[in-house]
Amino acid sequence: MKSNSAVTSNKKETWDGGGIKPFGASYGKMMMWFFIVSDALTFSGFLAAYGLTRFKFIDSWPIADEVFTHVPFVHGNYPMIYVAIMTFILIVSSVTMVLAVDAGHKMQKNKVAWYMFATIIFGIIFVGSQAWEWKTFIKGSYGAVKTTEGKILQFVNAEGEQIALSDFVTTKRTDGREQHTKENGLWFEKEPTIATYSVDQIIEAYNTHPEVQVRTELINLETKKKTILSREEGSAQLAKTRLVVEGANLEVNEYGNTIFADFFFFITGFHGFHVFSGILINIIIFFNVIVGTYEKRGHYEMVEKVGLYWHFVDLVWVFVFTFFYLV
């Protein structure tokens, strides 16, 4: 009988971390720290790869102030404003999470619930904002063309400000091309989306608008601005055009180097998945708080553990924000 009791006791101690509490932390909290460290190494690898790739293509990397200029329901050019608002919202969510953990230490059930609820709402706003930003990035704002050499050419006015294709291309398509869909009676159902304008349209419009100039993706490292070509040089480059680009995806990118879009989708998407997962976990913890699960246990350590994850996600965004938008 004594032997059986010893075996049972040992099994319980093994599950509890062997009765040892490194740094005074419980087994569950230590496991959360292990996960955070491993995930931090993963993000570090992604950001290091991004930094090395950007350094390699430093002369053609898109300028963030020209890419992220939109604010929902507001027309105009507002560089980095919306991204700054998103960042502020996520930081505020960390504050409400801290308050939830503090209320848990004081066994204040109602305050824990309210602060958890606020954290969830801020998280949903952030993920929704990120989805809107993705949609805007994919759709594009100006349009560009891609040459046979794989270079992106944009268009600017006499003041050097970028303009959209729709600002100077006013003629109808000359190739009679129509988007193939199931509804227009063709034998196949669908095809990849075709551009609004044809290459010939753009070249013709460029030739009839002397105030329009071509801007390459190459950056003058001294002025930090893209190179604007003369009218003659612009015509020569447009003669090499093979594709009209509208927006960005994993294959083309109207803002410049396509690899920028690849990294943007992958890293911000990976971070967005973490935030979304955190929201789901917070919702579960929130309902556990409501029904009094942790009140019965006599502690709110689970809130503290999910709080560690949430703070980690917020901290990672600070680095993503710095790498993609500020540097």
Side-chain angles (χ1 to χ4, degrees), residues 4-75:
N4 292 338
S5 298
V7 172
T8 304
S9 177
N10 286 337
K11 286 185 177 180
K12 183 176 180 181
E13 287 179 359
T14 301
W15 177 250
D16 289 339
I20 301 174
K21 291 188 175 183
F23 307 106
S26 67
Y27 175 76
K29 201 180 295 184
M30 280 299 297
M31 292 304 101
M32 177 58 74
W33 275 113
F34 285 156
F35 168 76
I36 288 174
V37 170
S38 63
D39 215 23
L41 293 174
T42 302
F43 273 106
S44 297
F46 293 156
L47 292 176
Y50 171 84
L52 290 171
T53 306
R54 176 173 178 170
F55 180 77
K56 180 178 180 180
F57 299 102
I58 190 65
D59 60 343
S60 63
W61 209 249
I63 301 173
D65 283 349
E66 296 179 355
V67 178
F68 307 104
T69 62
H70 303 85
V71 176
F73 313 113
V74 178
H75 296 287

Side-chain angles (χ1 to χ4, degrees), residues 239-259:
K240 304 176 183 178
T241 299
R242 68 176 180 86
L243 180 68
V244 178
V245 181
E246 294 175 308
N249 52 50
L250 298 179
E251 297 179 355
V252 292
N253 175 17
E254 74 167 43
Y255 308 102
N257 198 307
T258 305
I259 303 178

Side-chain angles (χ1 to χ4, degrees), residues 73-307:
F73 313 113
V74 178
H75 296 287
N77 193 329
Y78 303 97
M80 312 305 295
I81 295 296
Y82 191 55
V83 181
I85 294 173
M86 289 170 53
T87 304
F88 176 75
I89 289 172
L90 199 59
I91 291 174
V92 171
S93 74
S94 258
V95 175
T96 55
M97 179 58 80
V98 167
L99 294 174
V101 172
D102 182 65
H105 288 159
K106 298 176 182 177
M107 300 300 291
Q108 297 173 330
K109 174 184 171 182
N110 290 337
K111 284 189 175 182
V112 174
W114 277 112
Y115 288 132
M116 287 290 294
F117 179 74
T119 303
I120 292 168
I121 295 300
F122 287 131
I124 291 174
I125 293 173
F126 177 83
V127 171
S129 299
Q130 201 169 37
W132 182 88
E133 186 184 42
W134 265 44
K135 177 183 176 182
T136 305
F137 185 75
I138 292 171
K139 183 179 179 181
S141 305
Y142 299 99
V145 295
K146 190 172 185 178
T147 68
T148 54
E149 300 169 345
K151 305 298 183 182
I152 292 293
L153 304 178
Q154 301 170 334
F155 298 91
V156 297
N157 57 23
E159 288 74 35
E161 300 171 344
Q162 187 176 0
I163 57 176
L165 296 178
S166 58
D167 292 335
F168 68 98
V169 182
T170 56
T171 59
K172 294 182 179 180
R173 291 187 71 103
T174 56
D175 57 0
R177 190 70 170 84
E178 180 183 358
Q179 181 73 50
H180 293 168
T181 63
K182 182 179 180 181
E183 287 71 22
N184 62 16
L186 296 173
W187 63 273
F188 54 95
E189 293 187 3
K190 61 182 180 179
E191 67 171 350
T193 302
I194 63 173
T196 306
Y197 309 101
S198 67
V199 172
D200 291 339
Q201 265 184 290
I202 294 174
I203 294 177
E204 180 184 354
Y206 174 80
N207 292 331
T208 56
H209 289 79
E211 75 282 1
V212 176
Q213 290 179 285
V214 171
R215 184 174 73 173
T216 71
E217 63 182 15
L218 295 178
I219 300 174
N220 185 318
L221 298 181
E222 294 182 0
T223 62
K224 304 297 183 181
K225 293 183 179 180
K226 295 182 179 179
T227 305
I228 299 177
L229 304 178
S230 66
R231 290 282 300 178
E232 293 72 19
E233 292 174 324
S235 295
Q237 289 297 319
L238 286 178
K240 304 176 183 178
T241 299
R242 68 176 180 86
L243 180 68
V244 178
V245 181
E246 294 175 308
N249 52 50
L250 298 179
E251 297 179 355
V252 292
N253 175 17
E254 74 167 43
Y255 308 102
N257 198 307
T258 305
I259 303 178
F260 172 82
D262 297 341
F263 272 110
F264 176 80
F265 288 127
F266 185 78
I267 294 181
T268 62
F270 192 58
H271 177 267
F273 172 75
H274 277 70
V275 177
F276 179 73
S277 300
I279 292 171
L280 295 181
I281 297 171
N282 279 340
I283 290 174
I284 295 172
I285 302 301
F286 169 74
F287 281 109
N288 283 341
V289 172
I290 293 295
V291 300
T293 300
Y294 309 122
E295 197 77 15
K296 295 174 184 176
R297 292 182 185 177
H299 61 81
Y300 282 82
E301 184 178 292
M302 188 60 74
V303 176
E304 189 172 353
K305 286 188 285 190
V306 75

Side-chain angles (χ1 to χ4, degrees), residues 303-324:
V303 176
E304 189 172 353
K305 286 188 285 190
V306 75
L308 289 174
Y309 173 79
W310 192 258
H311 296 319
F312 165 72
V313 170
D314 290 3
L315 180 61
V316 168
W317 176 253
V318 172
F319 285 95
V320 173
F321 175 74
T322 301
F323 272 64
F324 269 101

